[in-house]
Amino acid sequence: MEEGEAVVEVKPKPQKGLRSKAMDWLEGQIVKLMYKTTTNHHYLSGNYAPVPYETPPSNHLPVIGHLPKCLNGEFARVGPNPKFAPVAGFHWFDGDGMIHGLRIKDGKVTYVSRYVRTSRLKQEEFFGGAKFMKIGDLKGLFGLLMVNVQTLRAKLGILDVSYGTGTANTSLIYHHGKLMALSEADKPYVLKVMEDGDLETIGMLNYDKRLLHSFTAHPKVDPFTGEMFAFGYSNKPPYVTYRVISKDGFMNDPVPITIPEPIMMHDFAITENYAIIMDLPLYFRPKEMVKENKMIFTFDTTKKARFGVLPRYAKNELLIKWFNLPNCFIFHNANAWEEGNEVVLITCRSENPDIDLVNGDVKEKLEQITNELYEMRFNMKTGIASQKKLSASAVDFPRVNESYIGRKSEVNVIDAKTMAAEAVAVVELPHRVPYGFHALFVTEEQLNEQAKLY
């Protein structure tokens, strides 16, 4: 194992006892007095509902059609699958990370589903119920009280937050022999695909203690250099920190990025020579949460959207160049590249977003979400930024061929309702797979590489 590559075994030490029971009682009283218990959790119903169990490797699945024998690897998709019912609120972004995997080899398929064995999950299994606060709780005065409940549990030693509190439910990335499950409020969890297709959580990656902040759910691996580029955001300065990880897995020194307020920054982008930092006005404002009964992240329609173009290997932020565009928010970028003096970003742009739209019982509000595909251009010589719309609503979760990340590529928008081509193969799964977030195909070569490490 090379320097910076040690994976930390996650062994939290929560404690039961009188203090734990007292905090349960206090939390129960707060919920009883302040939370509308009749709320219908849309994101715990229908196909958003969690599956109640893991599935060990289920092989020789029926295949309608045929799988090309050259298609060997592991298709994995991660998403939220809460093991325990929430005490109060629930947001779609909540829920323990569960990976649904298809091991494909020589035209045959094995299916498996496994939780990512996070510190959070291990501790709630120890207690036999939900103990950590949810994003769905973070609204109004009730949200402030629920934050204090978790803070007290940690101070009293009931919960162990030394390994973080993340869910690893958002995305997957493969870099330097490691498959990682990610959520942006925590550090990466390293997984191993076993010979029979099963999935095992190895531990947490902190890059030999060089990673001291949260790690984005959307790092970028440059297909030409093998390096990985990432960032983390925080509600305390520095609000954004940029990182470069070598092809050999060594994390270089942090590059703090100065922005006016703490924000939610879900994604970023790279080109051959630059990284694009997005300072968009979805702010962390706990005071407004309490005063105006809002979610803890509030979108400010009066602010411009700011994009910082930073040289990829900058040692500090002195060379970052900021560009302004009309007010918007972005969850996901498709790709970015350079054309002459311009840096081009292809992205899914939304106006006046509200993360409360995917919270509680707000199914009917989903029609208000209007993500549109945009091309944005930042001229490094003139300092001028421009944008144009490429599609109608709603577009998100874009993917490009990973061989073209950071390089010019075509963008194809497909209407999934009218796709006429018949599937080459349909694999019959043993049970329902809930809606989730991001997926990754791990090649046979990568599977062989990661098998040697642990």
Side-chain angles (χ1 to χ4, degrees):
M1 197 75 67
E2 296 181 31
E3 181 185 0
E5 288 296 281
V7 176
V8 178
E9 186 179 359
V10 176
K11 299 168 64 176
K13 298 178 180 179
Q15 296 181 31
K16 295 179 181 177
L18 289 176
R19 286 179 295 183
S20 177
K21 291 179 180 178
M23 288 305 303
D24 290 348
W25 178 86
L26 175 61
E27 181 182 59
Q29 294 303 304
I30 293 171
V31 172
K32 183 178 179 181
L33 291 171
M34 302 192 65
Y35 186 77
K36 184 181 175 182
T37 55
T38 57
T39 298
N40 173 37
H41 290 303
H42 174 64
Y43 293 96
L44 290 175
S45 63
N47 201 46
Y48 291 102
V51 290
Y53 46 77
E54 295 178 305
T55 304
S58 179
N59 52 24
H60 303 300
L61 297 179
V63 178
I64 301 171
H66 74 282
L67 286 163
K69 291 193 175 182
C70 61
L71 186 65
N72 294 331
E74 176 98 2
F75 178 77
R77 200 222 61 194
V78 68
N81 195 89
K83 185 162 187 178
F84 299 102
V87 172
F90 188 84
H91 190 283
W92 193 25
F93 299 168
D94 289 316
D96 303 297
M98 176 176 272
I99 297 176
H100 300 266
L102 287 178
R103 178 66 169 106
I104 305 170
K105 191 169 185 179
D106 299 329
K108 297 178 180 179
V109 184
T110 297
Y111 168 80
V112 65
S113 65
R114 294 293 188 190
Y115 281 108
V116 183
R117 305 288 300 161
T118 63
S119 173
R120 180 187 186 113
L121 177 65
K122 288 181 177 181
Q123 292 184 71
E124 293 193 334
E125 288 178 338
F126 172 78
F127 288 108
K131 297 294 177 183
F132 289 86
M133 69 180 180
K134 303 281 194 290
I135 297 172
D137 292 329
L138 300 180
K139 187 175 182 180
L141 177 59
F142 177 75
L144 178 62
L145 293 174
M146 294 300 278
V147 169
N148 288 330
V149 167
Q150 176 156 309
T151 301
L152 272 173
R153 280 187 169 131
K155 286 185 176 180
L156 293 171
I158 299 165
L159 294 177
D160 180 354
V161 297
S162 62
Y163 296 94
T165 62
T167 56
N169 71 6
T170 309
S171 187
L172 300 163
I173 193 77
Y174 184 90
H175 184 245
H176 193 229
K178 290 178 290 298
L179 174 63
M180 292 173 270
L182 308 170
S183 63
E184 62 202 61
D186 212 343
K187 298 177 179 67
Y189 275 84
V190 177
L191 310 167
K192 182 176 182 180
V193 182
M194 311 303 286
E195 180 65 29
D196 62 355
D198 208 350
L199 292 160
E200 179 183 338
T201 303
I202 303 300
M204 176 179 280
L205 188 63
N206 66 9
Y207 292 96
D208 197 24
K209 298 183 180 180
R210 295 182 65 80
L211 178 60
L212 301 177
H213 53 77
S214 63
F215 191 89
T216 176
H218 293 297
K220 313 299 179 189
V221 176
D222 187 308
F224 294 90
T225 68
E227 298 161 305
M228 183 162 68
F229 299 83
F231 70 93
Y233 69 85
S234 172
N235 59 7
K236 298 176 182 178
Y239 298 133
V240 175
T241 304
Y242 172 69
R243 305 305 292 260
V244 179
I245 300 99
S246 75
K247 66 178 181 178
D248 298 320
F250 179 77
M251 176 172 274
N252 290 288
D253 290 341
V255 179
I257 305 296
T258 302
I259 58 175
E261 288 188 60
I263 58 169
M264 175 185 282
M265 181 178 160
H266 186 65
D267 201 358
F268 81 133
I270 62 166
T271 68
E272 186 175 358
N273 295 293
Y274 298 102
I276 303 174
I277 307 295
M278 304 192 299
D279 177 16
L280 308 178
L282 184 57
Y283 294 115
F284 177 83
R285 290 178 174 172
K287 290 183 180 179
E288 288 189 14
M289 175 187 77
V290 176
K291 290 181 180 179
E292 302 178 27
N293 195 35
K294 293 181 175 180
M295 292 290 290
I296 200 164
F297 282 98
T298 301
F299 189 72
D300 189 337
T301 59
T302 68
K303 302 286 187 178
K304 293 280 189 181
R306 299 201 320 143
F307 297 83
V309 182
L310 177 73
R312 282 199 343 183
Y313 303 108
K315 301 299 183 183
N316 54 52
E317 64 175 341
L318 295 179
L319 294 178
I320 196 168
K321 193 162 190 175
W322 288 101
F323 297 84
N324 290 341
L325 281 173
N327 180 276
C328 73
F329 187 74
I330 293 165
F331 272 111
H332 299 112
N333 298 309
N335 203 8
W337 60 81
E338 298 162 37
E339 289 184 9
N341 293 322
E342 292 187 316
V343 172
V344 182
L345 175 67
I346 306 298
T347 189
C348 300
R349 178 185 184 275
S350 64
E351 294 186 359
N352 199 20
D354 183 357
I355 62 171
D356 203 16
L357 294 181
V358 286
N359 189 30
D361 59 355
V362 289
K363 176 182 177 182
E364 69 282 354
K365 294 183 182 179
L366 290 178
E367 297 176 359
Q368 299 176 22
I369 298 176
T370 55
N371 284 3
E372 296 168 329
L373 196 67
Y374 265 71
E375 176 188 280
M376 297 177 175
R377 289 179 174 265
F378 310 104
N379 193 302
M380 300 299 290
K381 186 175 182 179
T382 66
I384 295 174
S386 62
Q387 65 180 24
K388 67 178 180 180
K389 186 165 71 171
L390 301 178
S391 78
S393 187
V395 178
D396 210 332
F397 292 86
R399 290 299 299 265
V400 298
N401 184 329
E402 293 181 357
S403 299
Y404 292 93
I405 288 176
R407 309 303 192 272
K408 187 171 183 179
S409 57
E410 293 182 348
V411 176
N412 297 307
V413 181
I414 300 170
D415 186 345
K417 292 181 179 179
T418 59
M419 290 175 67
E422 293 185 5
V424 174
V426 176
V427 179
E428 295 185 7
L429 301 181
H431 62 74
R432 176 178 65 87
V433 176
Y435 298 132
F437 295 141
H438 297 276
L440 183 71
F441 187 79
V442 187
T443 67
E444 192 72 16
E445 181 182 2
Q446 291 170 334
L447 291 177
N448 292 333
E449 181 185 35
Q450 56 99 47
K452 299 174 184 177
L453 291 180
Y454 307 104

